[in-house]
């Protein structure tokens, strides 16, 4: 039976398990939207800016573990997605972006709303396609989903010319995608597992350094098993938070530029660094030659190009983190030379040393009873949600305070633009998360600068009845940049002062949401309680200590042991 | 150090820009590049010459391999192989130098591919150093134009 390309496309999306599309229509998408209108089993979320569609799809993917989908029109619709795509690429998030394109016979003619989006996104997608023939449509969509969700996940873009989705075809039978060139390695090499386990047994001062790969591969339980079995402390990257329970005594919290003193000291002094699904980013390592300079390094990653890219690795393990951790745990369960009590005993001096560092400089701040400290707000959010909320963030100080003070115990609950650092990520991400998990509390911890970059999405939140809570840590500054100016540019606050901002309470009301404000510490808890009890989108405007800084801080280019502590 | 890297890839639209974009985006250099179809119509072989420390070369091969359309990446420096490139040289050839040009070309096993009253166009193939040598020798006689291909390389067959 023949069907139209647009109909086949929707059928294929369903075949791929798609339940939600974040999109925004346009001329070349009319066939697809006409078809979409007929399908009640796919929820189309009409965003108010295409960038938001991609961030929302990204958050949807992070929360569910499925592939997120965005649908946008040609030209400006497509170019508006680039920031979202680049962010998903940096953070290895599986999404498929469907862009409309002008009819094939007009491609290359500088037609109205024509851009070479495949060319533009080549460096920031895992892969991308222009579908030129109707026969290629369905195989391409299948391949796109396959590539997005397997191996090191990432965004895949498919450009769909108007005439292709309007053409007729016979829908090809579903089949398993088999590609000649793309076969990610999931299973670790047993020899490497053996070497890694022997090294772990020899180590006196081991540290696990876990990244987003632990979340992506759903290996938080396997990681926890390993850490507990051998009593190894765990530090996490921004992307890895929630991969190991943040309130566990073995957790050192986050490492790196705004990591804890004790995490950075532990990494600097360790004799074995076990990197799992992390990529030695410069925000983590600081000055590279001083990073874990006394340690042998084991690195588990599904992407061979991540291994030995920045730091030489003695024991590389190319594999899916879950498979590798399962093999490692099984090795210890079998090994006659492994004695759990002896191993735990052996690590006592090391853990005592770390406890000393922790006692010397715990993560903290100076409470003030007259002015709201941002850390206090995050702590209260944690307390009043019992640590069970899904937290998205904007970028800047707000993001770091969220990472430091909301101690994540669960994976897929912390949504942040880690690699690209996109201001404006948080609100659309909160919407994507709320659509993915309707029953959960979702909070965007925001800055007064960033929130304005996608503030229009309040309308989307309202339209789809997403009761997301936006906690603005309002300092009247582009705070993180101001902090750098304070520390390294003689307090010359060049263009970081947000002298004029909206009245966020009135703004919330203008969108039919609820606006609340706290100006004193005593108002923080009542405001949060009221927000949590409200079945509507809420903005909480917390007027905070204007020049509060994020500490510890490793100045860029310094070794991570050279931390500013306050 | 110079490395010759051979890449088998699917012959799809845009595949070459994926490769060159990778090099420019990551700041790797390309000294020469040559690409054409293999025996299989849908597969191309791309040979490129690049240079860098071992860690850079390792990244180059890994990043190339990561491209979805790439089938196989071989760092030729790690195996026995033969390399060739070709040059076309238009050299001045007037009455008193015509014989000399022919002698040089003969030594390098080149051949004349175009003749005019005042010049020869000659073709020479060989290793990069041989091609460079013939250029250096003909230069004093008067080279008007050269066109060089990139290097191509093939793994040597096992001898036993
Ligand atoms: C789109 C974008 N533009 C610029 C930046 C650079 N930048 C990083 S943090 C920051 C300040 C953010 O201000 P705000 O949202 O108020 O957060 P705060 O640091 O004050 O908590 C800026 C401008 C960025 N990360 N993203
Ligand atoms: Mg601010």
């Amino acid at each position: 039976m023949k069907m139209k390309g647009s109909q086949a496309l929707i059928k294929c999306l369903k075949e791929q398990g798609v339940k939600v599309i974040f999109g925004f229509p346009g001329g070349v998408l009319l066939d697809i939207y006409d078809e979409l209108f007929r399908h009640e089993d796919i929820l189309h979320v009409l965003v108010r800016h295409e960038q938001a569609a991609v961030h929302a799809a990204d958050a949807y993917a992070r929360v569910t573990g499925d592939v997120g989908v965005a649908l946008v029109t040609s030209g400006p619709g497509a170019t508006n997605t680039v920031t979202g795509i680049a962010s998903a690429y940096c953070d290895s998030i599986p999404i498929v972006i469907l862009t409309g394109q002008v009819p094939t016979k007009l491609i290359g003619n500088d037609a109205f709303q024509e851009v070479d989006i495949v060319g533009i996104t080549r460096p920031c997608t895992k892969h991308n396609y222009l579908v030129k023939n109707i026969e290629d449509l369905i195989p391409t969509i299948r391949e796109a989903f396959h590539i997005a969700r397997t191996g090191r996940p990432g965004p895949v873009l498919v450009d769909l010319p108007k005439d292709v989705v309007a053409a007729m075809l016979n829908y090809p039978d579903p089949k398993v995608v088999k590609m000649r060139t793309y076969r990610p390695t999931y299973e670790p090499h047993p020899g490497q597992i053996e070497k890694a386990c022997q090294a772990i047994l020899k180590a006196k001062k081991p540290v696990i350094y876990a990244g987003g790969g632990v979340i992506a591969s759903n290996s938080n339980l396997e990681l926890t098993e390993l850490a507990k079995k051998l009593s190894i402390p765990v530090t996490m990257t921004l992307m890895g938070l929630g991969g190991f329970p943040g309130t566990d005594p073995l957790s050192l919290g986050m490492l790196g530029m705004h990591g804890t003193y004790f995490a950075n000291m532990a990494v600097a002094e360790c004799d074995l660094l076990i990197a799992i699904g992390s990529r030695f980013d410069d925000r983590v390592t600081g000055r590279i030659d001083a990073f874990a300079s006394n340690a042998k390094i084991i690195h588990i990653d599904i992407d061979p190009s991540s291994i030995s890219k920045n730091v030489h690795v003695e024991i590389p393990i190319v594999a899916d983190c879950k498979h590798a951790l399962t093999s490692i745990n099984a090795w210890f369960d079998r090994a006659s030379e492994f004695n759990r009590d002896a191993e735990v005993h052996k690590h006592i001096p090391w853990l005592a040393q770390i406890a000393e560092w922790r006692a010397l400089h715990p993560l903290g701040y100076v409470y003030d009873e007259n002015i709201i400290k941002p850390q206090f707000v995050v702590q209260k959010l944690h307390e009043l949600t019992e640590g069970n909320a899904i937290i998205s963030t904007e970028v800047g100080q707000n993001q770091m305070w969220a990472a430091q003070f909301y101690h994540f115990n669960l994976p897929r609950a912390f949504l942040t633009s880690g690699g690209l650092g996109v201001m404006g990520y948080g609100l659309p991400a909160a919407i994507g998360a709320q659509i993915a998990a309707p029953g959960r509390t979702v909070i965007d911890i925001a800055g007064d600068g960033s929130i304005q970059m996608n503030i229009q999405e309040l309308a989307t939140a309202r339209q789809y009845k997403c009761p997301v809570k936006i906690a603005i840590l309002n300092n009247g500054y582009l705070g993180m940049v101001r902090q750098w100016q304070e520390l390294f540019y003689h307090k010359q606050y060049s263009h970081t002062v947000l002298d004029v901002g909206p009245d966020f309470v009135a703004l919330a009301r203008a969108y039919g949401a609820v606006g609340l404000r706290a100006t004193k510490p005593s108002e923080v808890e009542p405001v949060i309680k009221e927000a949590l009890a409200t079945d509507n989108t809420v903005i909480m405007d917390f007027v905070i200590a204007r020049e509060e800084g994020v500490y510890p801080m490793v100045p860029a280019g310094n070794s991570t042991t050279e931390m500013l502590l306050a | 150090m110079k490395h010759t890297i051979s890449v088998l890839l699917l012959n799809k639209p845009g595949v070459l820009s994926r490769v060159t974009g990778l090099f420019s985006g990551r700041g790797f250099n390309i000294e020469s590049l040559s690409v054409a179809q293999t025996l299989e119509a849908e597969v191309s072989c791309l040979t490129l010459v690049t240079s860098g420390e071992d860690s850079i070369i390792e990244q180059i091969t890994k990043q190339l391999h990561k491209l979805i359309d790439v089938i196989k990446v071989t760092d030729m420096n790690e195996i026995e192989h033969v390399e060739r490139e070709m040059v076309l040289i238009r050299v001045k050839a007037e009455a008193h130098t015509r014989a000399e040009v022919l002698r040089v070309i003969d030594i390098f096993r080149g051949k004349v591919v175009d003749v005019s009253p005042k010049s020869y166009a000659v073709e020479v193939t060989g290793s990069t150093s041989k091609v460079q040598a013939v250029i250096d020798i003909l230069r004093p006689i008067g080279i008007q134009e050269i066109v060089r291909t990139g290097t191509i390389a093939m793994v040597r067959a096992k001898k036993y």
Side-chain angles (χ1 to χ4, degrees):
Chain A
M1 194 203 59
K2 288 244 174 200
M3 62 171 84
K4 211 170 140 179
S6 50
Q7 192 184 352
L9 172 68
I10 304 297
K11 186 175 157 93
C12 186
L13 294 180
K14 286 189 196 170
E15 173 196 299
Q16 295 299 319
V18 175
K19 296 183 190 71
V20 181
I21 296 174
F22 299 91
F24 201 84
V28 297
L29 292 183
L30 282 165
D31 294 279
I32 296 173
Y33 271 90
D34 192 52
E35 180 64 29
L36 211 44
F37 197 72
R38 282 190 269 279
H39 296 265
E40 287 185 350
D41 47 345
I42 289 192
L43 170 66
H44 177 274
V45 176
L46 179 68
V47 294
R48 299 302 193 267
H49 187 296
E50 290 88 350
Q51 182 191 349
V54 183
H55 291 326
D58 163 313
Y60 182 91
R62 292 189 202 220
V63 170
T64 59
D66 299 334
V67 179
V69 179
L71 172 65
V72 303
T73 194
S74 66
T79 52
N80 270 349
T81 63
V82 173
T83 303
I85 296 173
S87 179
Y89 185 63
C90 290
D91 292 345
S92 307
I93 306 300
I95 53 174
V96 167
I97 306 94
L98 304 170
T99 51
Q101 182 55 283
V102 301
T104 41
K105 64 176 188 307
L106 287 182
I107 291 178
N109 268 343
D110 304 323
F112 176 64
Q113 296 195 329
E114 179 194 355
V115 294
D116 174 13
I117 196 63
V118 168
I120 289 172
T121 58
R122 206 170 273 133
C124 62
T125 49
K126 184 170 171 185
H127 198 54
N128 60 15
Y129 299 88
L130 167 64
V131 181
K132 281 192 169 157
N133 302 301
I134 184 70
E135 312 82 70
D136 297 334
L137 177 65
I138 300 305
T140 304
I141 298 289
R142 286 175 182 154
E143 222 173 85
F145 276 84
H146 174 69
I147 291 172
R149 66 163 70 97
T150 53
R152 178 176 177 175
V156 180
L157 181 141
V158 185
D159 203 17
L160 302 167
K162 169 135 170 74
D163 56 326
V164 172
V165 289
M168 302 299 285
L169 78 159
N170 285 314
Y171 191 82
D173 288 337
K175 60 168 187 235
V176 183
V177 177
K178 261 210 159 141
M179 293 175 65
R180 172 167 183 186
T181 60
Y182 170 73
R183 293 204 199 98
T185 308
Y186 281 80
E187 287 303 327
H189 190 285
Q192 294 301 93
I193 294 289
E194 169 81 27
K195 271 194 213 156
C197 293
Q198 294 291 1
I200 293 172
L201 276 185
K202 275 204 204 85
K204 294 198 178 68
K205 299 189 286 179
V207 171
I208 292 173
Y209 145 49
V214 171
I215 313 277
S217 63
N218 297 312
S219 46
N220 52 304
L221 295 180
E222 289 78 4
L223 168 61
T224 306
E225 182 185 334
L226 175 67
K228 301 235 162 172
K229 205 194 294 278
L230 287 106
S231 188
I232 302 175
V234 181
T235 179
M236 285 158 278
T237 68
L238 185 66
M239 293 300 298
L241 292 175
F244 182 79
T247 52
D248 191 283
L250 285 172
S251 169
L252 308 180
M254 187 169 72
L255 80 166
M257 182 174 275
H258 292 296
T260 62
Y261 175 78
F262 39 100
N264 284 336
M265 291 304 291
V267 169
E269 295 287 317
C270 70
D271 63 357
L272 178 73
L273 186 71
I274 309 166
I276 309 177
S278 48
R279 62 185 176 91
F280 297 81
D281 178 82
D282 55 277
R283 284 291 187 266
V284 159
T285 62
R287 209 180 76 225
I288 199 88
D289 56 325
F291 182 72
S293 48
N294 304 316
K296 193 174 223 174
I297 300 179
I298 299 171
H299 189 181
I300 304 172
D301 206 291
I302 197 158
D303 178 0
S305 74
S306 276
I307 295 177
S308 289
K309 182 174 69 177
N310 301 337
V311 171
H312 176 70
V313 168
E314 282 82 9
I315 308 176
I317 300 178
V318 177
D320 179 83
C321 294
K322 195 180 184 89
H323 293 238
L325 283 167
T326 304
S327 303
I328 290 173
N329 286 329
W331 190 93
F332 284 111
D333 290 342
R334 272 196 322 267
S336 53
E337 58 265 59
F338 171 62
N339 173 321
R340 180 161 194 275
D341 294 338
E343 198 66 19
V344 170
H345 188 77
K346 191 180 78 182
H347 292 164
I348 287 176
W350 174 229
L351 292 175
Q353 164 73 73
I354 291 174
E356 225 170 85
W357 285 322
R358 194 193 289 261
L360 189 63
H361 297 293
L363 187 65
Y365 65 98
V366 182
Y367 179 77
D368 190 315
E369 44 186 57
N370 298 312
I371 181 104
I372 301 174
K373 289 295 185 80
Q375 302 93 333
F376 175 68
V377 176
V378 178
Q379 274 182 337
K380 278 286 164 197
L381 287 170
H382 182 265
E383 185 187 315
L384 296 170
T385 57
E386 292 168 357
N388 287 325
I390 296 175
I391 302 289
S392 71
T393 74
E394 303 293 341
V395 169
Q397 294 182 311
N398 57 86
Q399 179 184 33
M400 292 300 121
W401 287 318
Q404 290 179 331
F405 290 92
Y406 198 99
H407 301 284
F408 296 89
N409 280 331
L410 297 171
R412 302 193 176 278
F414 182 52
L415 320 174
T416 197
S417 173
L420 197 65
V422 179
M423 290 173 67
Y425 173 82
L427 177 53
I431 293 169
Q434 189 76 80
I435 301 244
R440 301 271 301 269
T441 299
V442 180
I443 303 175
D444 172 23
I445 296 182
D448 50 320
S450 306
I451 191 64
Q452 294 182 69
M453 286 214 174
N454 272 317
I455 192 76
Q456 76 288 343
E457 296 309 314
L458 280 173
T460 312
R462 290 273 303 126
Q463 180 168 341
Y464 296 90
K465 301 202 164 35
C466 297
V468 297
K469 314 293 183 252
I470 302 151
I472 301 178
L473 305 176
N474 190 344
N475 51 14
Y477 281 120
L478 298 171
M480 184 56 93
V481 183
R482 184 208 60 75
Q483 179 172 343
W484 286 52
Q485 290 172 333
E486 173 190 328
L487 295 170
F488 315 118
Y489 291 85
H490 315 290
K491 295 199 175 189
Q492 181 158 288
Y493 295 160
S494 175
H495 304 283
T496 46
V497 188
L498 299 174
D499 279 328
V500 175
D503 172 344
F504 286 111
V505 172
L507 182 75
R509 291 195 189 124
Y511 277 97
V514 173
L516 304 170
R517 178 172 293 124
T519 55
K520 295 200 292 277
S522 60
E523 293 165 357
V524 170
E525 184 163 327
V527 160
I528 296 174
K529 280 188 169 157
E530 186 178 344
L532 293 176
T534 304
D535 189 22
N536 192 353
T537 311
V538 181
I539 290 187
M540 295 172 269
D541 185 17
F542 295 102
V543 180
I544 61 163
R546 288 200 74 190
E547 301 205 356
E548 186 71 12
V550 180
Y551 294 102
M553 176 175 190
V554 178
N558 277 33
S559 137
T560 49
T561 54
E562 298 162 333
M563 284 168 269
L564 306 174
L565 292 160
Chain B
M1 188 176 143
K2 261 192 199 187
H3 282 249
T4 304
I5 294 173
S6 168
V7 186
L8 281 182
L9 32 73
L10 293 180
N11 194 356
K12 292 209 180 148
V15 67
L16 193 57
S17 62
R18 290 186 201 279
V19 173
T20 54
L22 166 64
F23 275 72
S24 61
R26 292 188 181 266
F28 305 141
N29 72 0
I30 301 182
E31 291 180 12
S32 80
L33 182 148
S34 105
V35 55
Q37 224 175 60
T38 61
L39 274 178
E40 251 186 285
E42 61 268 30
V43 177
S44 291
C45 178
L46 181 153
T47 312
L48 61 86
V49 178
T50 183
S51 60
E53 295 166 21
D54 289 354
S55 60
I56 301 278
I57 301 297
E58 181 180 335
Q59 260 305 303
I60 289 175
T61 54
K62 284 175 167 178
Q63 292 291 347
L64 281 168
H65 199 76
K66 195 167 152 179
L67 294 175
I68 304 284
D69 289 334
V70 166
I71 301 169
K72 191 173 176 203
V73 181
T74 314
D75 179 356
M76 289 297 201
N77 287 39
E78 288 173 1
I79 18 186
E80 289 280 308
H81 68 285
V82 283
E83 272 186 31
R84 289 293 178 270
E85 66 172 80
M86 183 172 103
V87 63
L88 295 175
I89 307 172
R90 190 181 311 284
V91 57
K92 256 201 265 172
E94 283 157 359
H96 62 288
T97 55
R98 284 181 100 82
E100 171 66 5
V101 169
L102 291 179
R103 244 192 326 271
V104 171
I105 294 312
D106 194 46
I107 292 168
F108 284 92
R109 295 173 210 264
K111 56 183 186 231
V112 176
V113 292
D114 186 35
V115 183
S116 81
K118 295 206 164 148
S119 69
Y120 285 140
V122 302
E123 168 199 318
V124 178
T125 62
S127 65
T128 304
S129 57
K130 174 175 160 190
V131 165
Q132 193 55 50
V134 73
I135 293 169
D136 291 343
I137 288 181
L138 289 178
R139 199 186 296 268
I141 302 175
I143 294 179
Q144 292 168 334
E145 186 187 354
I146 66 167
V147 180
R148 281 168 92 156
T149 65
T151 299
I152 54 172
M154 186 182 255
V155 176
R156 281 189 195 275
K158 290 215 169 64
K159 296 279 155 47
Y160 41 85

